[in-house]
Amino acid sequence: MKKLINDPDDVVDEMLDGMLAAYPDRLRRLPDTQVLVREDAPLDKVNLVTGGGSGHEPTHAGYIGDGMLDGAAAGGVFSSPTADEFEALIGACAGDEGVLAIIKNYEGDVMNFETAIELAEMEGIEVESVVVDDDVAVEDSLYTSGRRGVCGTILVHKAAGAKAAEGAELAEVKRVAEKVIDNVGTMGMALTSCVTPEKGEPTFDLGDDEIELGIGIHGEPGTERTDTMPADEVTDELTEAVLEDLDVEEGAEVLTIVNGMGGTPEMELFVVNRRLQELLGERGIETHDAWVGDYMTSLDMAGVSVTVCVLDDELKTLFDAPADTPGLSVR
Amino acid sequence: MKKLINDPDDVVDEMLDGMLAAYPDRLRRLPDTQVLVREDAPLDKVNLVTGGGSGHEPTHAGYIGDGMLDGAAAGGVFSSPTADEFEALIGACAGDEGVLAIIKNYEGDVMNFETAIELAEMEGIEVESVVVDDDVAVEDSLYTSGRRGVCGTILVHKAAGAKAAEGAELAEVKRVAEKVIDNVGTMGMALTSCVTPEKGEPTFDLGDDEIELGIGIHGEPGTERTDTMPADEVTDELTEAVLEDLDVEEGAEVLTIVNGMGGTPEMELFVVNRRLQELLGERGIETHDAWVGDYMTSLDMAGVSVTVCVLDDELKTLFDAPADTPGLSVR
């Protein structure tokens, strides 16, 4: 399998340098780390940090900027940053109002971030954390106890980031993050496996007439392998699983994401969005905003995930607030 | 080859409806056409229109919005809109200050747009047009006489759109579009062929250890098939061809685009951007702005194109001006 890379061992390092070369006014890299932080991180507000394995771009560093994140640590492809890297990240983003760490529920991320938080607290930095577990497909997986954290994480960045930008204190920013986590669900599917730079071969095999439902973002197995289906049926399967998990009622207002997994043409994402919005309309559910694009990817995997977040007035205001990052722009 | 679609015959129609469902406040569809226009198109400025085959998303309709386009016609996958559709587009976007049509140099687009322009002029609409031919790889191709219009087209939308937003008259907006066309070059390459919905198979065959340089955006053949190369060598080949064509001199300021062809992970685009910016630095060329992402795609093709536009003060100001579209946001 062919990739536009040099040495697989250098791919994360070179990617980060390529991001810095694209956004020199927005980002800086902490020396001798894979941590990117805001060039102009304001220290008079709660700062938001996250991180995790690489291969999910624009997650994580693509959401650094006004109204979202202040820094992000990048691990190797699909592997967690070390506790040292997370500690450096927290230290660099520690202002006067404390730090909120947003952690996707994967065992390595949780363990290493928690170690880093303990170390930071010993240095007198006020840190709170939340763990995102929005994937409704599986209760436990190869890499998690409990549900996986996937594309819904972007909505935690967005709402908590907007709350922090308002000048809210740490406990309030954390409350908003938890409100999103309580009200968001995601389910994904794959047409093809992803191929990691190191291995150079598909992580799992899918036949030419097969798809896999309920996949995660690391090529880990899903819940069901089936024959290929029309896009509308795929959309219905994913959406209904999410709506059922969230117990979304008629009259609810939601924000939706149709997320490409990295190798999916935008044309197909819009075909999925068409059916998603039609289905929500049939159920009497009102879409406040619909995002379509690549937000939380899995290298070159062809596939899609559907995210639904149930809104109240506070979340609507926070999702509508301005954000200015390479991966997401709201005005 | 698997795709997230329903009936291949419906894919463009369903994609357009999915776009409308995502951006109901921004876009509207002209009845019985595949033409999308701004929901709130201002009629007191020069309006910009474009169009062409589908499969290049976010091109074309993804650039409708403040500071860029006012409308776009979508043809079938890789096939030109009809003259009737182009005529409807021009008519819907005709305000008091006239219309600029931005045409990529493909024979069907040029022929049908020119017919539509003649018809619109007979109805008393003032229309000017420009033809973009930024692909430095081939002088003539399967679908063109003269060079192909590819990713540099986005820069024509951006600069001419900013000029129109300033309130400039039609001749001035056209002059700016032509200035971009005179100063922009692009070259692309493919790791894999694209697969059209209708055919369901690769448009051309590339071995597991082969890449193709100089490809266009429809899976048409390139200029050279070679063994796979490291990303840095690929970047050098593409960039040097563009710099030579444009005769870029030391001290020049440029805007660059590293454009994904649809199936390329963002990670790989940043690896290419890293080498691109390094190479420009070695040549004493200064990057004013570097865009990295999927701007002009070819369905699910894995590959990349490099675009360089040589700037003067006027173009710098116009590229820096605000734009607010689904496909591009500048503040």
Side-chain angles (χ1 to χ4, degrees):
Chain A
M1 308 297 272
K2 295 169 282 186
K3 289 189 173 294
L4 276 168
I5 61 171
N6 297 298
D7 186 330
D9 288 343
D10 298 332
V11 68
V12 172
D13 199 51
E14 293 184 351
M15 170 187 75
L16 295 172
D17 282 345
M19 295 185 73
L20 287 170
Y23 311 113
D25 300 335
R26 292 169 175 259
L27 301 174
R28 67 187 169 88
R29 183 168 176 174
L30 301 185
D32 304 320
T33 72
Q34 295 186 163
V35 175
L36 298 184
V37 299
R38 284 176 72 157
E39 177 56 46
D40 58 345
L43 297 179
D44 59 349
K45 71 168 191 73
V46 174
N47 280 353
L48 271 59
V49 300
T50 192
S54 294
H56 308 301
E57 293 69 31
T59 296
H60 304 78
Y63 300 110
I64 296 175
D66 281 342
M68 292 187 78
L69 300 173
D70 298 285
V77 173
F78 293 170
S79 67
S80 181
T82 63
D84 283 352
E85 299 256 326
F86 278 130
E87 190 192 359
L89 166 69
I90 294 169
C93 293
D96 304 330
E97 302 299 324
V99 173
L100 180 70
I102 299 166
I103 312 173
K104 293 197 302 305
N105 190 33
Y106 289 96
E107 282 172 3
D109 291 353
V110 172
M111 187 176 68
N112 292 340
F113 231 139
E114 284 183 350
T115 303
I117 290 167
E118 282 174 28
L119 294 168
E121 284 175 335
M122 287 194 290
E123 291 165 24
I125 301 171
E126 190 185 11
V127 189
E128 292 284 348
S129 65
V130 294
V131 177
V132 188
D133 61 348
D134 57 313
D135 190 338
V136 307
V138 290
E139 194 50 51
D140 296 292
S141 81
L142 269 187
Y143 305 103
T144 58
S145 53
R147 304 187 341 176
R148 299 174 292 214
V150 290
C151 189
T153 310
I154 312 309
L155 297 179
V156 179
H157 301 337
K158 176 69 188 76
K163 194 73 184 173
E166 283 179 4
E169 61 186 22
L170 183 54
E172 274 290 281
V173 176
K174 182 179 180 181
R175 179 187 60 75
V176 161
E178 288 179 332
K179 185 190 274 193
V180 176
I181 293 168
D182 289 343
N183 287 285
V184 68
T186 297
M187 186 157 152
M189 62 79 63
L191 295 172
T192 66
S193 170
C194 54
V195 175
T196 60
E198 194 170 0
K199 194 171 170 208
E201 290 177 11
T203 307
F204 60 96
D205 288 315
L206 264 182
D208 274 351
D209 50 3
E210 288 178 321
I211 61 173
E212 184 135 351
L213 299 175
I215 47 90
I217 55 175
H218 304 95
E220 60 266 52
T223 48
E224 190 188 356
R225 185 166 295 201
T226 74
D227 293 341
T228 51
M229 299 189 288
D232 283 3
E233 282 182 41
V234 171
T235 308
D236 287 358
E237 290 263 1
L238 301 180
T239 308
E240 280 165 8
V242 174
L243 294 180
E244 186 174 339
D245 182 86
L246 291 172
D247 200 13
V248 183
E249 297 181 351
E250 191 175 337
E253 282 187 272
V254 298
L255 186 152
T256 60
I257 307 178
V258 174
N259 172 58
M261 302 303 279
T264 317
E266 198 174 279
M267 170 180 276
E268 299 178 23
L269 301 182
F270 281 115
V271 169
V272 170
N273 186 57
R274 170 194 146 279
R275 174 60 196 154
L276 169 61
Q277 303 308 328
E278 192 175 67
L279 187 154
L280 294 176
E282 289 165 8
R283 300 288 182 90
I285 298 163
E286 189 182 328
T287 299
H288 178 70
D289 205 358
W291 300 1
V292 179
D294 285 1
Y295 296 97
M296 174 73 76
T297 61
S298 184
L299 293 169
D300 54 354
M301 180 184 282
V304 69
S305 64
V306 170
T307 297
V308 176
C309 183
V310 180
L311 306 179
D312 61 8
D313 286 343
E314 180 181 40
L315 290 183
K316 277 197 281 187
T317 303
L318 294 169
F319 287 130
D320 290 347
D324 182 16
T325 76
L328 180 73
S329 176
V330 178
R331 316 172 174 241
Chain B
M1 308 300 273
K2 295 170 283 186
K3 290 190 173 292
L4 277 168
I5 61 171
N6 298 299
D7 186 330
D9 288 343
D10 298 332
V11 68
V12 172
D13 199 50
E14 293 184 350
M15 170 186 77
L16 294 172
D17 282 345
M19 294 186 72
L20 286 171
Y23 312 113
D25 300 335
R26 292 169 174 260
L27 300 175
R28 67 186 169 89
R29 184 168 176 173
L30 301 186
D32 305 319
T33 72
Q34 296 188 159
V35 175
L36 297 185
V37 299
R38 284 176 73 158
E39 177 55 45
D40 57 347
L43 297 179
D44 59 348
K45 69 166 192 72
V46 174
N47 280 354
L48 271 61
V49 300
T50 191
S54 294
H56 308 301
E57 294 68 31
T59 296
H60 306 79
Y63 300 110
I64 296 175
D66 280 342
M68 293 186 78
L69 300 175
D70 297 284
V77 173
F78 294 171
S79 69
S80 181
T82 63
D84 284 351
E85 298 256 326
F86 279 130
E87 189 191 1
L89 167 69
I90 294 168
C93 294
D96 304 330
E97 302 299 325
V99 173
L100 179 70
I102 299 167
I103 312 173
K104 294 196 303 307
N105 190 32
Y106 289 96
E107 282 172 4
D109 291 353
V110 172
M111 187 176 67
N112 291 340
F113 232 140
E114 284 182 351
T115 303
I117 290 168
E118 282 173 27
L119 294 169
E121 285 174 336
M122 286 193 290
E123 291 164 25
I125 301 171
E126 190 185 11
V127 189
E128 292 285 347
S129 64
V130 295
V131 177
V132 188
D133 60 349
D134 56 312
D135 190 338
V136 307
V138 291
E139 195 49 50
D140 296 291
S141 80
L142 269 186
Y143 305 103
T144 58
S145 54
R147 305 185 342 173
R148 300 174 292 215
V150 288
C151 189
T153 310
I154 312 308
L155 297 178
V156 180
H157 301 337
K158 177 69 187 75
K163 194 73 185 175
E166 283 178 5
E169 62 186 21
L170 182 55
E172 274 290 280
V173 176
K174 181 179 181 181
R175 179 187 60 76
V176 162
E178 288 179 331
K179 186 191 272 193
V180 176
I181 293 168
D182 289 343
N183 286 285
V184 68
T186 297
M187 186 156 154
M189 61 79 63
L191 295 172
T192 66
S193 170
C194 55
V195 175
T196 60
E198 194 171 359
K199 194 171 169 206
E201 289 178 12
T203 307
F204 59 97
D205 288 315
L206 264 181
D208 274 351
D209 51 3
E210 287 179 323
I211 61 175
E212 184 133 352
L213 300 174
I215 47 91
I217 54 174
H218 305 94
E220 60 266 52
T223 48
E224 189 187 357
R225 185 166 292 202
T226 73
D227 293 341
T228 52
M229 299 190 287
D232 283 3
E233 281 182 43
V234 170
T235 308
D236 288 357
E237 290 264 1
L238 300 181
T239 309
E240 280 164 8
V242 174
L243 294 179
E244 186 175 338
D245 183 84
L246 291 173
D247 200 12
V248 184
E249 296 183 349
E250 191 173 338
E253 281 186 272
V254 298
L255 186 153
T256 60
I257 306 178
V258 174
N259 172 59
M261 303 302 281
T264 316
E266 198 175 278
M267 170 180 276
E268 299 177 22
L269 301 182
F270 281 116
V271 169
V272 170
N273 186 56
R274 170 193 145 279
R275 175 58 195 155
L276 168 61
Q277 301 309 328
E278 191 175 68
L279 187 154
L280 294 175
E282 288 165 7
R283 300 286 181 90
I285 297 164
E286 189 182 329
T287 300
H288 178 69
D289 205 357
W291 299 2
V292 179
D294 285 1
Y295 296 97
M296 174 73 75
T297 62
S298 183
L299 293 169
D300 54 354
M301 181 184 283
V304 69
S305 64
V306 170
T307 296
V308 176
C309 182
V310 180
L311 306 179
D312 61 9
D313 287 343
E314 180 181 42
L315 289 182
K316 276 197 282 187
T317 303
L318 294 170
F319 287 130
D320 290 348
D324 182 16
T325 76
L328 180 73
S329 175
V330 177
R331 314 174 176 241

mmCIF file of all heavy atoms in Angstrom, chain A residues 177-209:
data_model
loop_
_atom_site.group_PDB
_atom_site.id
_atom_site.type_symbol
_atom_site.label_atom_id
_atom_site.label_comp_id
_atom_site.label_asym_id
_atom_site.label_seq_id
_atom_site.Cartn_x
_atom_site.Cartn_y
_atom_site.Cartn_z
ATOM 1 N N ALA A 177 -18.416 20.721 29.506
ATOM 2 C CA ALA A 177 -17.826 19.558 28.833
ATOM 3 C C ALA A 177 -18.613 18.297 29.187
ATOM 4 O O ALA A 177 -18.919 17.467 28.316
ATOM 5 C CB ALA A 177 -16.358 19.405 29.239
ATOM 6 N N GLU A 178 -18.962 18.163 30.447
ATOM 7 C CA GLU A 178 -19.708 16.966 30.870
ATOM 8 C C GLU A 178 -21.127 16.958 30.326
ATOM 9 O O GLU A 178 -21.695 15.902 30.049
ATOM 10 C CB GLU A 178 -19.702 16.874 32.402
ATOM 11 C CG GLU A 178 -18.312 16.481 32.901
ATOM 12 C CD GLU A 178 -18.199 16.384 34.417
ATOM 13 O OE1 GLU A 178 -18.959 17.099 35.111
ATOM 14 O OE2 GLU A 178 -17.347 15.612 34.879
ATOM 15 N N LYS A 179 -21.695 18.154 30.161
ATOM 16 C CA LYS A 179 -23.034 18.200 29.565
ATOM 17 C C LYS A 179 -23.005 17.680 28.130
ATOM 18 O O LYS A 179 -23.885 16.920 27.714
ATOM 19 C CB LYS A 179 -23.586 19.633 29.606
ATOM 20 C CG LYS A 179 -25.014 19.733 29.105
ATOM 21 C CD LYS A 179 -25.482 21.154 28.904
ATOM 22 C CE LYS A 179 -26.041 21.777 30.167
ATOM 23 N NZ LYS A 179 -26.771 23.044 29.886
ATOM 24 N N VAL A 180 -21.975 18.080 27.377
ATOM 25 C CA VAL A 180 -21.861 17.550 26.012
ATOM 26 C C VAL A 180 -21.690 16.034 26.058
ATOM 27 O O VAL A 180 -22.372 15.295 25.329
ATOM 28 C CB VAL A 180 -20.676 18.198 25.264
ATOM 29 C CG1 VAL A 180 -20.504 17.556 23.884
ATOM 30 C CG2 VAL A 180 -20.883 19.697 25.129
ATOM 31 N N ILE A 181 -20.794 15.559 26.910
ATOM 32 C CA ILE A 181 -20.526 14.117 26.985
ATOM 33 C C ILE A 181 -21.811 13.343 27.305
ATOM 34 O O ILE A 181 -22.056 12.267 26.753
ATOM 35 C CB ILE A 181 -19.416 13.842 28.031
ATOM 36 C CG1 ILE A 181 -18.083 14.422 27.543
ATOM 37 C CG2 ILE A 181 -19.284 12.339 28.313
ATOM 38 C CD1 ILE A 181 -16.989 14.473 28.600
ATOM 39 N N ASP A 182 -22.631 13.907 28.161
ATOM 40 C CA ASP A 182 -23.891 13.235 28.523
ATOM 41 C C ASP A 182 -24.906 13.224 27.387
ATOM 42 O O ASP A 182 -25.876 12.459 27.440
ATOM 43 C CB ASP A 182 -24.545 13.950 29.724
ATOM 44 C CG ASP A 182 -23.778 13.716 31.012
ATOM 45 O OD1 ASP A 182 -22.954 12.776 31.046
ATOM 46 O OD2 ASP A 182 -23.990 14.480 31.978
ATOM 47 N N ASN A 183 -24.721 14.081 26.404
ATOM 48 C CA ASN A 183 -25.762 14.263 25.390
ATOM 49 C C ASN A 183 -25.311 13.967 23.969
ATOM 50 O O ASN A 183 -26.008 14.316 23.023
ATOM 51 C CB ASN A 183 -26.306 15.695 25.462
ATOM 52 C CG ASN A 183 -27.173 15.904 26.694
ATOM 53 O OD1 ASN A 183 -28.301 15.434 26.735
ATOM 54 N ND2 ASN A 183 -26.616 16.550 27.711
ATOM 55 N N VAL A 184 -24.156 13.332 23.822
ATOM 56 C CA VAL A 184 -23.635 13.086 22.474
ATOM 57 C C VAL A 184 -23.401 11.591 22.262
ATOM 58 O O VAL A 184 -22.994 10.873 23.174
ATOM 59 C CB VAL A 184 -22.340 13.892 22.226
ATOM 60 C CG1 VAL A 184 -21.174 13.396 23.069
ATOM 61 C CG2 VAL A 184 -21.970 13.901 20.744
ATOM 62 N N GLY A 185 -23.689 11.148 21.042
ATOM 63 C CA GLY A 185 -23.427 9.758 20.672
ATOM 64 C C GLY A 185 -22.958 9.679 19.233
ATOM 65 O O GLY A 185 -23.295 10.542 18.408
ATOM 66 N N THR A 186 -22.146 8.670 18.937
ATOM 67 C CA THR A 186 -21.543 8.511 17.610
ATOM 68 C C THR A 186 -21.547 7.034 17.241
ATOM 69 O O THR A 186 -21.380 6.184 18.114
ATOM 70 C CB THR A 186 -20.080 9.005 17.630
ATOM 71 O OG1 THR A 186 -20.051 10.402 17.932
ATOM 72 C CG2 THR A 186 -19.384 8.767 16.287
ATOM 73 N N MET A 187 -21.743 6.748 15.954
ATOM 74 C CA MET A 187 -21.460 5.389 15.486
ATOM 75 C C MET A 187 -20.861 5.460 14.087
ATOM 76 O O MET A 187 -21.267 6.262 13.264
ATOM 77 C CB MET A 187 -22.710 4.509 15.498
ATOM 78 C CG MET A 187 -22.385 3.052 15.160
ATOM 79 S SD MET A 187 -23.640 1.909 15.809
ATOM 80 C CE MET A 187 -23.500 0.560 14.625
ATOM 81 N N GLY A 188 -19.856 4.607 13.845
ATOM 82 C CA GLY A 188 -19.116 4.645 12.584
ATOM 83 C C GLY A 188 -19.176 3.334 11.828
ATOM 84 O O GLY A 188 -19.610 2.312 12.358
ATOM 85 N N MET A 189 -18.760 3.400 10.574
ATOM 86 C CA MET A 189 -18.670 2.203 9.736
ATOM 87 C C MET A 189 -17.504 2.362 8.758
ATOM 88 O O MET A 189 -17.063 3.465 8.497
ATOM 89 C CB MET A 189 -19.972 1.958 8.977
ATOM 90 C CG MET A 189 -20.384 3.045 8.001
ATOM 91 S SD MET A 189 -19.540 3.070 6.397
ATOM 92 C CE MET A 189 -20.071 1.488 5.757
ATOM 93 N N ALA A 190 -17.055 1.229 8.247
ATOM 94 C CA ALA A 190 -15.928 1.251 7.310
ATOM 95 C C ALA A 190 -16.257 0.491 6.037
ATOM 96 O O ALA A 190 -16.866 -0.579 6.077
ATOM 97 C CB ALA A 190 -14.698 0.636 7.963
ATOM 98 N N LEU A 191 -15.852 1.098 4.918
ATOM 99 C CA LEU A 191 -15.849 0.384 3.637
ATOM 100 C C LEU A 191 -14.521 -0.349 3.448
ATOM 101 O O LEU A 191 -14.450 -1.368 2.782
ATOM 102 C CB LEU A 191 -16.018 1.372 2.476
ATOM 103 C CG LEU A 191 -17.319 2.153 2.348
ATOM 104 C CD1 LEU A 191 -17.184 3.195 1.243
ATOM 105 C CD2 LEU A 191 -18.472 1.212 2.032
ATOM 106 N N THR A 192 -13.462 0.258 4.010
ATOM 107 C CA THR A 192 -12.125 -0.333 3.897
ATOM 108 C C THR A 192 -11.424 -0.157 5.228
ATOM 109 O O THR A 192 -11.770 0.705 6.028
ATOM 110 C CB THR A 192 -11.257 0.377 2.834
ATOM 111 O OG1 THR A 192 -10.989 1.716 3.269
ATOM 112 C CG2 THR A 192 -11.929 0.408 1.476
ATOM 113 N N SER A 193 -10.418 -0.958 5.448
ATOM 114 C CA SER A 193 -9.547 -0.782 6.599
ATOM 115 C C SER A 193 -8.630 0.412 6.363
ATOM 116 O O SER A 193 -8.415 0.832 5.230
ATOM 117 C CB SER A 193 -8.690 -2.029 6.788
ATOM 118 O OG SER A 193 -7.691 -1.799 7.752
ATOM 119 N N CYS A 194 -8.071 0.930 7.449
ATOM 120 C CA CYS A 194 -6.966 1.869 7.289
ATOM 121 C C CYS A 194 -5.656 1.077 7.176
ATOM 122 O O CYS A 194 -5.601 -0.110 7.488
ATOM 123 C CB CYS A 194 -6.895 2.837 8.455
ATOM 124 S SG CYS A 194 -6.812 2.056 10.065
ATOM 125 N N VAL A 195 -4.636 1.781 6.706
ATOM 126 C CA VAL A 195 -3.307 1.204 6.558
ATOM 127 C C VAL A 195 -2.340 2.074 7.347
ATOM 128 O O VAL A 195 -2.212 3.262 7.064
ATOM 129 C CB VAL A 195 -2.884 1.185 5.070
ATOM 130 C CG1 VAL A 195 -1.456 0.692 4.927
ATOM 131 C CG2 VAL A 195 -3.843 0.329 4.260
ATOM 132 N N THR A 196 -1.680 1.507 8.349
ATOM 133 C CA THR A 196 -0.743 2.322 9.123
ATOM 134 C C THR A 196 0.583 2.431 8.378
ATOM 135 O O THR A 196 0.975 1.512 7.649
ATOM 136 C CB THR A 196 -0.490 1.709 10.513
ATOM 137 O OG1 THR A 196 0.067 0.409 10.355
ATOM 138 C CG2 THR A 196 -1.771 1.633 11.311
ATOM 139 N N PRO A 197 1.286 3.559 8.563
ATOM 140 C CA PRO A 197 2.575 3.731 7.875
ATOM 141 C C PRO A 197 3.562 2.624 8.226
ATOM 142 O O PRO A 197 4.305 2.147 7.359
ATOM 143 C CB PRO A 197 3.069 5.095 8.387
ATOM 144 C CG PRO A 197 1.839 5.821 8.788
ATOM 145 C CD PRO A 197 0.889 4.778 9.308
ATOM 146 N N GLU A 198 3.563 2.220 9.490
ATOM 147 C CA GLU A 198 4.545 1.235 9.912
ATOM 148 C C GLU A 198 4.287 -0.123 9.290
ATOM 149 O O GLU A 198 5.189 -0.770 8.762
ATOM 150 C CB GLU A 198 4.520 1.123 11.440
ATOM 151 C CG GLU A 198 5.716 0.399 12.012
ATOM 152 C CD GLU A 198 5.739 0.538 13.538
ATOM 153 O OE1 GLU A 198 4.823 1.197 14.085
ATOM 154 O OE2 GLU A 198 6.647 -0.010 14.156
ATOM 155 N N LYS A 199 3.027 -0.547 9.353
ATOM 156 C CA LYS A 199 2.694 -1.897 8.876
ATOM 157 C C LYS A 199 2.597 -1.933 7.350
ATOM 158 O O LYS A 199 3.014 -2.900 6.711
ATOM 159 C CB LYS A 199 1.363 -2.337 9.520
ATOM 160 C CG LYS A 199 1.082 -3.821 9.383
ATOM 161 C CD LYS A 199 -0.140 -4.244 10.217
ATOM 162 C CE LYS A 199 -0.540 -5.684 9.874
ATOM 163 N NZ LYS A 199 -1.959 -5.947 10.080
ATOM 164 N N GLY A 200 2.038 -0.876 6.776
ATOM 165 C CA GLY A 200 1.943 -0.811 5.317
ATOM 166 C C GLY A 200 0.913 -1.751 4.720
ATOM 167 O O GLY A 200 0.853 -1.921 3.501
ATOM 168 N N GLU A 201 0.098 -2.369 5.567
ATOM 169 C CA GLU A 201 -0.950 -3.265 5.083
ATOM 170 C C GLU A 201 -2.230 -2.993 5.859
ATOM 171 O O GLU A 201 -2.185 -2.459 6.963
ATOM 172 C CB GLU A 201 -0.549 -4.722 5.294
ATOM 173 C CG GLU A 201 0.572 -5.148 4.390
ATOM 174 C CD GLU A 201 1.012 -6.577 4.654
ATOM 175 O OE1 GLU A 201 0.298 -7.278 5.406
ATOM 176 O OE2 GLU A 201 2.044 -6.965 4.117
ATOM 177 N N PRO A 202 -3.378 -3.396 5.311
ATOM 178 C CA PRO A 202 -4.636 -3.149 6.023
ATOM 179 C C PRO A 202 -4.617 -3.760 7.423
ATOM 180 O O PRO A 202 -4.097 -4.857 7.622
ATOM 181 C CB PRO A 202 -5.685 -3.840 5.149
ATOM 182 C CG PRO A 202 -5.083 -3.876 3.779
ATOM 183 C CD PRO A 202 -3.605 -4.030 3.994
ATOM 184 N N THR A 203 -5.171 -3.014 8.373
ATOM 185 C CA THR A 203 -5.235 -3.474 9.762
ATOM 186 C C THR A 203 -6.181 -4.660 9.897
ATOM 187 O O THR A 203 -5.990 -5.530 10.731
ATOM 188 C CB THR A 203 -5.728 -2.308 10.652
ATOM 189 O OG1 THR A 203 -4.891 -1.188 10.404
ATOM 190 C CG2 THR A 203 -5.681 -2.665 12.119
ATOM 191 N N PHE A 204 -7.238 -4.652 9.090
ATOM 192 C CA PHE A 204 -8.125 -5.815 9.038
ATOM 193 C C PHE A 204 -8.573 -5.986 7.591
ATOM 194 O O PHE A 204 -8.433 -5.076 6.780
ATOM 195 C CB PHE A 204 -9.315 -5.665 9.998
ATOM 196 C CG PHE A 204 -10.205 -4.477 9.735
ATOM 197 C CD1 PHE A 204 -11.360 -4.596 8.984
ATOM 198 C CD2 PHE A 204 -9.887 -3.224 10.259
ATOM 199 C CE1 PHE A 204 -12.185 -3.504 8.759
ATOM 200 C CE2 PHE A 204 -10.709 -2.120 10.037
ATOM 201 C CZ PHE A 204 -11.858 -2.269 9.283
ATOM 202 N N ASP A 205 -9.083 -7.165 7.275
ATOM 203 C CA ASP A 205 -9.481 -7.454 5.896
ATOM 204 C C ASP A 205 -10.982 -7.325 5.741
ATOM 205 O O ASP A 205 -11.750 -7.831 6.553
ATOM 206 C CB ASP A 205 -9.063 -8.883 5.525
ATOM 207 C CG ASP A 205 -7.558 -8.991 5.350
ATOM 208 O OD1 ASP A 205 -6.987 -8.095 4.695
ATOM 209 O OD2 ASP A 205 -6.965 -9.937 5.894
ATOM 210 N N LEU A 206 -11.373 -6.627 4.705
ATOM 211 C CA LEU A 206 -12.793 -6.508 4.360
ATOM 212 C C LEU A 206 -12.916 -6.883 2.887
ATOM 213 O O LEU A 206 -12.197 -6.337 2.045
ATOM 214 C CB LEU A 206 -13.267 -5.065 4.534
ATOM 215 C CG LEU A 206 -13.963 -4.673 5.837
ATOM 216 C CD1 LEU A 206 -14.382 -3.218 5.777
ATOM 217 C CD2 LEU A 206 -15.167 -5.558 6.118
ATOM 218 N N GLY A 207 -13.815 -7.813 2.595
ATOM 219 C CA GLY A 207 -13.999 -8.221 1.211
ATOM 220 C C GLY A 207 -14.596 -7.110 0.360
ATOM 221 O O GLY A 207 -15.101 -6.111 0.874
ATOM 222 N N ASP A 208 -14.550 -7.317 -0.956
ATOM 223 C CA ASP A 208 -15.047 -6.307 -1.897
ATOM 224 C C ASP A 208 -16.548 -6.091 -1.774
ATOM 225 O O ASP A 208 -17.064 -5.083 -2.267
ATOM 226 C CB ASP A 208 -14.727 -6.723 -3.335
ATOM 227 C CG ASP A 208 -13.337 -6.283 -3.726
ATOM 228 O OD1 ASP A 208 -12.706 -5.526 -2.960
ATOM 229 O OD2 ASP A 208 -12.871 -6.697 -4.808
ATOM 230 N N ASP A 209 -17.234 -7.036 -1.154
ATOM 231 C CA ASP A 209 -18.684 -6.891 -1.017
ATOM 232 C C ASP A 209 -19.103 -6.828 0.453
ATOM 233 O O ASP A 209 -20.241 -7.126 0.802
ATOM 234 C CB ASP A 209 -19.407 -8.043 -1.718
ATOM 235 C CG ASP A 209 -18.840 -9.392 -1.292
ATOM 236 O OD1 ASP A 209 -17.940 -9.410 -0.422
ATOM 237 O OD2 ASP A 209 -19.292 -10.414 -1.834
#
